[in-house]
Amino acid sequence: TILGETHEEEDEILPRKDYESLDYDRCINDPYLEVLESMDNKKARNYEAVKWVMVFAIGVCTGLVGLFVDFFVRLLTQLKFRVVQSSVEECTEKGCLALSLLELLGFNLTFVFLASLLVLIQPVAAGSGIPEIKCYLNGVKVPGVVRLRTVVCKAMGVLFSVAGGLFVGKEGPMIHSGAVVGAGLPQFQSISLRKIQFNFPYFRSDRDKRDFVSAGAAAGVAAAFGAPIGGTLFSLEEGSSFWNQGLTWKVLFCSMAATFTLNFFRSGIQFGSWGSFQLPGLLNFGEFKCSESDKKCHLWTAVDLGFFILMGIVGGLLGATFNCLNKRLAKYRMRNVHPKPKLIRVLESMLVSLTTTVVVFVASMVLGECREMSSTSHSGNDTLSVQGMSEDVNSSIKTFFCPNETYNDMATLFFNPQESAILQLFHQDGTFSPITLSLFFLLYFLLSCWTYGISVPSGLFVPSLLCGAAFGRLVANLLKSYIGLDHIYSGTFALIGAAAFLGGVVRMTISLTVILIESTNEITYGLPIMITLMVAKWTGDFFNKGIYDIHVNLRGVPLLEWETEVEMDKLRASDIMEPNLTYVYPHTRIQSLVSILRTTVHHAFPVVTENRGNEREFMKGNQLISNNIKFKKSSILTRAGEQRKRSQSMKSYPSSELRNMCDEHITTEEPPEKEDLLQQMLERRYTPYPNLYPDQSPSEEWTMEERFRPLTFHGLILRSQLVTLLVRGVCYSESQSSASQPRLSHAEMSEDYPRYPDIHDLDLTLLNPRMIVDVTPYMNPSPFAVSPNTHVSQVFNLFRTMGLRHLPVVNAVGEIVGIITRHNLTHEFLQARLRQHYQTI
């Protein structure tokens, strides 16, 4: 946790984990400030140019990752289907279909087993990764989410899980892969491969990394769907919590680089025409157009908008049902699967693969209908000849278990890659019976819901599109067969159905609209897609949240929404702040710093001085009047307890073995107990902060005036900065001036980023407890702060829009009265405080 407690959700089924926050605050040693202030204009422009080079490199690398995944998925899938198809054709005549099923099981179980093993190596590689990246961009540090090992396991695992026949997509994990590339490439170092490290001091802060992760996530979407603008909007709508105009251009440029890199190599490899740019993304929806022989056909009309709205409502209901079932499955896994040995997760994945394979094989053999491959149309566009279909759609027709000149419509959907099945539903006309579409939708709905959440890398975009396309195609067939609407173009209804179901599951609007428009290359679909997605989102939101938000909540991540509810304005900053402060003084002894860092888990500490001149006014009888605690009387004993715990921790401090690291030739003498150490230090040197620190820990005999004093706020100092100062021996002795203390540059302070040393790993024998550390050159002297009477909505907007990590609450006379972190702004915490507010009225 950071400053503040971890609060549990009411319906939480497991204890909430402790998540750290990323440091997005701009401190006095911010890389931009130090670099730009020390450079002339030309060098500053070069520094900005390096960022453009980095985002271009991120886009190119993300496109290459997509190329790698696509190439090997196609290779493994074609190998499996070629072997199984030849076996089925032979066994159809010889009656050995059980052998064909065993061959298919052998392929699928092997691939899924390999995918599960990769997840065991890096557990965060499971799933699509979108919830984890959304949390990271929101400001929460998810362990291992942007590691090199994660992207390797993700890319390798997703190609095995897709080739293994699971109802998952490879497009979703591309977002996670791009984010990892964006986080790691500009660092020029790797934690997994420690030998890979270059002397590149720039972009070594959470703030810079967040911007590059945003660009990488957008590049992943752009590479998956061939939609650079949609990827940019996805990063804005679903990913980044903090945005600026300059970042928009960089993210769009990165998305363009990813799209055209993937397009260049895929087009060259598949068509042998380098530079033709014919395949923009991993998923291509093809061209939507009516047959030239059908004069009644239209892509869509104004009358169809009514049906699209109804499909949006149904899609929202189906999406809410999908999310509800998947949430229950996730809770069951958290209770009964995750606490058990990791092998159980592998067995669960293989059980899902076994069930999926058997269902696909049996459904194709028993439930499929044999339909003619070409016939004369009697009703305009009820059927379409093979000659009228594109080569891709024509080549993906399956004839399993059917006589000559016919094909199996169920096997055509099940025994094809998901992208080919989507093309079949979009561009074949009149070739799937309503019964086949209904059964396919039901089976695919249930199996994909069961699959999402198992321990394999998996995406949800493509399964949702395929499931929704079957629903839309079913609606088109019913309207044409039973209502007689001959003008309907089935491909349009399949596309709208895909949008409705996907929107009902993920609850995205703007970005998904643009992604689908760019994928179809048909701008006229903009209005119906937008209306359908809006209706699907509103309908689904009436019942539950989107699938990604549900999984974020189940993980107990303190994710901040875009805005608070209106009724939250009944609360003030004083109602939600954390008044139990752990603070440091501008000049603090090493003994106190080590004790503070060892006995707390906070990631930032206010730098304060005590207003000793106001001690007499501090207490009047039993009534506390100090502004720094008047909002929380229950905090009277907490600070004393904190100090007692700190004092007890020093009993194990090996002071007898300590040596002076900062100044070997200076010996320190213990001052007489009766002398005022503060007065001695004031006589020896000038300091801008006259009240430095108490030299001894509070004892039980201290009076209330001695325990609590008004605290004047001067700035914030991060835990990582304090540990770095201790590790590097930045301190001075009592007989010296603070000006003699060594000064560290920003590059030296951030050299260990992002893995700063831990205080518990510090060798205390190298430190002298009586030495003093001046933290003022490294603290943030002007952080954002709010008044205790500030409305919660204003606090929330400031926290979100500025990308803050800690927000001090300072009263009118400059005293710090509390601090606000993201834990104090989560929906659950605000609801609890609102209930307390109503009880006190």
Side-chain angles (χ1 to χ4, degrees), residues 39-58:
M39 290 182 177
D40 54 25
N41 292 335
K42 182 178 180 180
K43 291 183 178 180
R45 288 194 298 268
N46 292 339
Y47 179 79
E48 185 69 15
V50 174
K51 298 187 71 173
W52 284 93
V53 174
M54 286 293 103
V55 296
F56 176 76
I58 292 170

Side-chain angles (χ1 to χ4, degrees), residues 308-502:
F308 296 159
I309 293 175
L310 294 177
M311 292 175 65
I313 295 175
V314 176
L317 294 174
L318 293 173
T321 304
F322 183 96
N323 294 352
C324 179
L325 295 176
N326 190 263
K327 181 178 180 179
R328 293 180 179 274
L329 283 171
K331 287 186 175 181
Y332 177 82
R333 290 187 177 106
M334 294 173 70
R335 290 194 188 100
N336 302 286
V337 178
H338 294 176
K340 296 183 178 180
K342 294 182 179 181
L343 182 61
I344 302 298
R345 304 185 189 185
V346 178
L347 295 178
E348 182 198 18
S349 301
M350 298 186 70
L351 175 62
V352 174
S353 176
L354 174 66
T355 305
T356 302
T357 304
V358 172
V359 168
V360 166
F361 193 88
V362 174
S364 301
M365 182 176 62
V366 177
L367 303 178
E369 295 186 13
C370 295
R371 305 180 68 83
E372 296 183 2
M373 297 183 66
S374 87
S375 61
T376 304
S377 176
H378 298 283
S379 59
N381 62 340
D382 284 342
T383 58
L384 187 66
S385 65
V386 175
Q387 291 78 7
M389 290 183 290
S390 65
E391 183 179 353
D392 291 338
V393 176
N394 183 25
S395 61
S396 61
I397 288 178
K398 303 299 179 182
T399 60
F400 291 171
F401 321 117
C402 288
N404 294 333
E405 301 300 327
T406 61
Y407 70 95
N408 189 321
D409 58 352
M410 185 71 79
T412 299
L413 295 177
F414 271 134
F415 272 86
N416 269 313
Q418 295 174 100
E419 292 82 357
S420 299
I422 291 176
L423 290 177
Q424 289 283 343
L425 292 170
F426 282 174
H427 300 296
Q428 278 206 55
D429 203 5
T431 56
F432 301 99
S433 68
I435 296 178
T436 297
L437 292 172
S438 301
L439 293 174
F440 175 80
F441 172 80
L442 179 63
L443 294 174
Y444 210 95
F445 180 93
L446 296 175
L447 289 175
S448 60
C449 182
W450 185 20
T451 303
Y452 188 74
I454 62 175
S455 294
V456 296
S458 58
L460 194 60
F461 272 82
V462 174
S464 298
L465 288 173
L466 179 54
C467 196
F471 158 67
R473 189 61 180 266
L474 174 63
V475 172
N477 285 6
L478 294 177
L479 292 177
K480 290 162 62 176
S481 302
Y482 296 98
I483 300 182
L485 299 179
D486 295 336
H487 73 278
I488 286 179
Y489 179 60
S490 299
T492 299
F493 275 76
L495 176 64
I496 296 301
F501 186 80
L502 181 59

Side-chain angles (χ1 to χ4, degrees), residues 176-192:
H176 191 181
S177 300
V180 177
V181 172
L185 189 62
Q187 300 299 310
F188 284 91
Q189 66 175 0
S190 172
I191 297 174
S192 302

Side-chain angles (χ1 to χ4, degrees), residues 105-120:
L105 283 172
F107 276 107
N108 289 347
L109 291 177
T110 301
F111 291 153
V112 173
F113 177 73
L114 293 175
S116 299
L117 288 183
L118 290 169
V119 170
L120 291 184

Side-chain angles (χ1 to χ4, degrees), residues 277-316:
F277 297 103
Q278 302 180 47
L279 297 173
L282 299 180
L283 183 62
N284 185 16
F285 291 158
E287 183 180 1
F288 289 78
K289 62 179 181 179
C290 294
S291 173
E292 296 180 358
S293 60
D294 186 7
K295 304 301 182 182
K296 297 181 180 180
C297 176
H298 300 283
L299 289 182
W300 67 278
T301 63
V303 178
D304 298 333
L305 285 177
F307 296 109
F308 296 159
I309 293 175
L310 294 177
M311 292 175 65
I313 295 175
V314 176

Side-chain angles (χ1 to χ4, degrees), residues 76-145:
L76 295 178
T77 304
Q78 290 176 2
L79 174 64
K80 180 185 71 172
F81 282 139
R82 187 179 297 113
V83 173
V84 173
Q85 183 173 355
S86 61
S87 176
V88 169
E89 291 175 354
E90 293 178 3
C91 290
T92 301
E93 301 176 357
K94 298 180 181 179
C96 57
L97 290 177
L99 180 61
S100 301
L101 177 59
L102 291 177
E103 290 181 354
L104 184 61
L105 283 172
F107 276 107
N108 289 347
L109 291 177
T110 301
F111 291 153
V112 173
F113 177 73
L114 293 175
S116 299
L117 288 183
L118 290 169
V119 170
L120 291 184
I121 297 174
Q122 189 70 358
V124 77
S128 66
I130 296 178
E132 289 81 4
I133 296 302
K134 185 174 181 178
C135 294
Y136 186 91
L137 294 176
N138 191 261
V140 180
K141 183 179 294 184
V142 182
V145 71

